[in-house]
Amino acid sequence: FQFFPSGLSMERVTEAAKAYAGEIWFPIVVGLCNAADTFILIVPNDVLIGAAVLAQPQRWLYCAIAQTLGCTLGCALFCMLALYNPDGIKEYFPSVFASDAWERAESYYKSYGLITAVVGGGLLPFHPFLFVGALSGLSTLKLLSAITLGRLVRNVGICYTLAKAPNFSLKTLFASKPKRKRRNNERRREEKAD
């Protein structure tokens, strides 16, 4: 199985993203990718919008708003589908409904109500919070408003930090996590070998 069609590689996709990141329309395309990510769960939106901010730092707010509106569009489409076919949603995303995140999102909604969608939409992957809210019968307008607010705060923070302190942002957001994970994996392998 090839993820990319023949002749297309991850390097070519990365080079294309770099080439177009400074274009005025690029954040809108990333926003639309964010809308699609609501359903496919694998689009690296933060990396793409980061490229756009680093290419044109003065457009950081535009990039943050474009990404937030894309997320809101995807969430609105998901809510429409959840209203008309909730069983189809559960069949399409079985891994989400079988995860610990689903159970945590449900318990958070029961304990804290709508504020869960604001915090979950901003700090965490928003999908479980969206799914629980949409399938539990929560008001669509309230749910969309809460997730949009959380995502807006998150995206403004990320884009502003990338625009004003790109070296700090890149080291903090992207460099530290893989090293820590790599060290933990090496430690596990050593323990298994003993």
Side-chain angles (χ1 to χ4, degrees), residues 4-88:
F4 294 102
S6 79
L8 187 61
S9 66
M10 187 60 164
E11 290 79 24
R12 288 183 66 188
V13 171
T14 304
E15 290 303 315
K18 285 181 190 175
Y20 294 115
E23 300 293 333
I24 191 79
W25 49 264
F26 189 76
I28 295 169
V29 171
V30 174
L32 293 174
C33 288
N34 206 337
D37 186 49
T38 305
F39 298 95
I40 58 176
L41 309 174
I42 60 167
V43 178
N45 294 307
D46 293 338
V47 173
L48 294 173
I49 208 67
V53 172
L54 291 173
Q56 295 289 329
Q58 69 276 15
R59 292 191 199 149
W60 66 268
L61 185 59
Y62 168 61
C63 293
I65 291 171
Q67 184 152 343
T68 302
L69 290 177
C71 179
T72 303
L73 173 64
C75 290
L77 293 171
F78 182 87
C79 287
M80 284 179 23
L81 287 173
L83 284 173
Y84 294 107
N85 191 5
D87 293 331

Side-chain angles (χ1 to χ4, degrees), residues 46 49-50 53 153-163 169 173:
D46 293 338
I49 208 67
V53 172
V153 169
R154 174 188 184 276
N155 292 334
V156 164
I158 289 172
C159 291
Y160 179 81
T161 305
L162 280 170
S169 301
L173 296 175

Side-chain angles (χ1 to χ4, degrees), residues 137-159:
L138 196 63
S139 163
T140 302
L141 183 59
K142 288 180 183 178
L143 180 62
L144 288 177
S145 299
I147 289 178
T148 300
L149 176 63
R151 283 319 241 192
L152 182 62
V153 169
R154 174 188 184 276
N155 292 334
V156 164
I158 289 172
C159 291

